[in-house]
Amino acid sequence: MSETSSAPTPRRARVRAPELTGKGGWLNTGGRQYTLADLRGRIVVLDFWTFCCVNCLHVLDELRELEDKHRDTVVIIGVHSPKFVHEADHQAVVDAVERYGVEHPVLDDPELATWKQYAVRAWPTLAVIDPEGYVVAQHSGEGHAHALERLIAELEAEHGAKGTLRRGDGPYVPPEPEPTVLRFPGKALLLPGGTFLVSDTTRHQLVELAADGESVVRRIGSGARGFADGDAGTAAFSEPQGLALLDDGSVVVADTVNHALRRLDLASGEVTTLAGTGRQWWQGSATSGPAREVDLSSPWDVAWWNGRVWIAMAGVHQLWAYDPQAGTVAVAAGTTNEGLVDGPGDQAWFAQPSGLAATPERLWLADSETSALRWVDLDGAVHTAVGTGLFDFGHRDGAAGQALLQHPLGVTALPDGSVAVSDTYNHALRRYDPATGEVTTLATDLREPSDAVLVGDDIVVVESARHRLTRLRLPEEAVRVEAVAHRTRREATEVAAGPLRLDVVFQAPAGQKLDTRYGPSTRLLVSSTPPELLLGGEGAGTDLSRALELNPAVPVGVLHVSAMAASCDDDPAGGASRSKTGGHHPVCHVHQQDWGVPVRLAEGGTDRLSLVLAGMDA
């Protein structure tokens, strides 16, 4: 529609926005506490996130450009809604806000009060509030920046004309920087000369430390967030994490937010790019090919195993592998579905794999969102040593079948065949012994340990939230701790036994329509834990509504729902964005989200489950 058109703007569904409440209070506001009334006249985007969730971190990156472009009309507010017990710790939220470079106000809501008021069902979820205080849109998952951009432009025009839009500086007040040598380091590597290479994640650098683990030998990277090859002073990273030493003496770096693998020449300090385009992988992207031409998604760790660099691809819940001889990358295991399913590599499910350690017979991995320790055998099959699923976690030693971890990010192979697990949210170092099947605790009172490396008889732990490396003597006997078990803080949805209507709500953003040129543009995949929860309705299909049948003999469980929709720009005149080859093609966008919905059968429970992918549930 042209700017001179007199056609009225279609009426938009509006619901009065509930108040913003959170027991932890406000961060990044200079100490001021805000209410919705204070924000009246501004367009408010609520970002419901939790810092364990890689998809939430993707959304933080998507919102950066939006924040810069609309700084005088839009206020983005992060509503931190914890999944894990550790994430309800206020200091942990303070740390996460700095760690991930969050440059907008954050409401710490440890009891999920605001989450419940806005009927949120998944991380991440975005809610848009107009300048008059009404919710006008909700989006779950990633990839909604284009839809938000268009909606914000409409709201700016509409409320600018009505006189209800208020421009000016936002409420964000940056915290004072802390002068530490490292800032939220992620991973470490012992170099052949006895020094340590550390990914100084929040400062977007690599740091070489002397053998004492404290003295700085050199820094690699400019220290500014970016994506550039070059020498040690000009190369740029974006929140680098995993490190692996290759046979030629170079180091592979998992450059997480750049969705790339980088190569560091230790002798010269030169940084080059091995794999990735800088763009994030989406459904429909290539899953193998020349390494520099294939999109990746938040590579979190790397390990050299059986002639390839294995990649913990946290952003899509898979393992990939880079072949340096062929210069190619390819999926090695995982379906992109989030969960804990063992079996052949192409059928296994992971949940944010974040740490790798190789032995001749096994590739060990820390599968963080399922609080699990898992491994891949030489045939490519996936096995679980510790962990049961997305919603069970805690600190419990003993037989592996009942032991509990809490969001581990690192794993280290020990000389006796056992492995040490950096049990991040338990602030502990744990040990699993395959010979006995027992889990023990090696050390406690660590602060968010994210990796560890062996140095002789010692183990050096990356204490990420204490901004340092900590050297420990490997104990002969394990530390004894009181067993603690937890379930997710989310309340289960009460549903009626028998028929349950599942509706995934998707409304194409203004100016777009469903892309049906090549067949159905939507996809829905449903499963459950335990599988016996569903008597009918599981499996894949193209309709975003599904009739489910719940088993009255299974009182509690989790519904796993994965939805995708593709929409394209709708130009009634037939024109569209011009491609590089000169042809006209509509610009298309993929919207996707995975939900894990805890349910409990109850008398009088609902017979309809609504999940909003984009739009408003009527």
Side-chain angles (χ1 to χ4, degrees), residues 218-265:
R218 60 174 170 166
R219 293 183 181 271
I220 296 135
S222 66
R225 186 192 295 272
F227 190 12
D229 290 341
D231 60 28
T234 58
F237 301 94
S238 187
E239 299 182 27
Q241 288 281 351
L243 307 164
L245 191 66
L246 298 186
D247 290 342
D248 65 3
S250 65
V251 173
V252 177
V253 182
D255 194 4
T256 304
V257 178
N258 278 329
H259 310 296
L261 295 188
R262 315 292 292 282
R263 177 185 184 272
L264 168 65
D265 186 307

Side-chain angles (χ1 to χ4, degrees), residues 469-490:
L469 303 187
T470 298
R471 186 182 293 259
L472 305 171
R473 179 56 52 92
L474 276 173
E476 293 183 10
E477 292 189 11
V479 177
R480 295 191 181 277
V481 296
E482 184 178 348
V484 180
H486 298 292
R487 291 277 293 171
T488 178
R489 300 176 68 87
R490 292 172 57 190

Side-chain angles (χ1 to χ4, degrees), residues 185-459:
K187 304 289 185 182
L189 180 66
L190 181 65
L191 297 178
T195 59
F196 297 94
L197 187 67
V198 183
S199 52
D200 196 15
T201 304
T202 298
R203 293 202 178 122
H204 315 295
Q205 289 182 318
L206 308 179
V207 179
E208 185 177 356
L209 298 178
D212 63 8
E214 298 178 6
S215 307
V216 176
V217 176
R218 60 174 170 166
R219 293 183 181 271
I220 296 135
S222 66
R225 186 192 295 272
F227 190 12
D229 290 341
D231 60 28
T234 58
F237 301 94
S238 187
E239 299 182 27
Q241 288 281 351
L243 307 164
L245 191 66
L246 298 186
D247 290 342
D248 65 3
S250 65
V251 173
V252 177
V253 182
D255 194 4
T256 304
V257 178
N258 278 329
H259 310 296
L261 295 188
R262 315 292 292 282
R263 177 185 184 272
L264 168 65
D265 186 307
L266 285 171
S268 67
E270 191 78 14
V271 176
T272 52
T273 300
L274 293 176
T277 63
R279 296 183 301 270
Q280 183 184 338
W281 189 96
W282 286 98
Q283 291 289 348
S285 301
T287 56
S288 64
R292 292 290 303 274
E293 299 174 16
V294 176
D295 300 338
L296 309 181
S297 183
S298 296
W300 209 275
D301 203 5
V302 282
W304 179 256
W305 191 53
N306 289 338
R308 294 185 292 172
V309 176
W310 285 66
I311 309 162
M313 202 71 78
V316 284
H317 317 299
Q318 289 180 312
L319 301 180
W320 288 44
Y322 165 69
D323 185 337
Q325 294 298 317
T328 57
V329 290
V331 174
T335 64
T336 76
N337 296 114
E338 184 178 13
L340 194 154
V341 176
D342 289 341
D346 60 356
Q347 299 173 28
W349 291 24
F350 300 99
Q352 219 167 293
S354 301
L356 298 174
T359 67
E361 303 296 321
R362 296 182 178 186
L363 179 70
W364 293 97
L365 66 120
D367 204 28
S368 61
E369 279 295 291
T370 51
S371 298
L373 172 66
R374 306 176 73 185
W375 53 280
V376 182
D377 66 25
L378 291 173
D379 294 326
V382 179
H383 310 262
T384 297
V386 182
T388 59
L390 286 164
F391 300 105
D392 292 296
F393 52 90
H395 191 150
R396 187 162 64 199
D397 288 335
Q402 55 84 54
L404 294 172
L405 309 169
Q406 187 179 178
H407 197 80
L409 291 178
V411 59
T412 307
L414 300 179
D416 64 357
S418 66
V419 291
V421 179
S422 295
D423 193 4
T424 310
Y425 289 2
N426 279 329
H427 311 298
L429 192 67
R430 311 287 291 283
R431 176 178 178 264
Y432 168 69
D433 186 351
T436 65
E438 291 287 312
V439 175
T440 52
T441 298
L442 297 175
T444 58
D445 194 31
L446 301 166
R447 186 70 185 173
E448 292 193 20
S450 55
D451 196 21
V453 292
L454 278 176
V455 185
D457 293 330
D458 295 341
I459 190 163

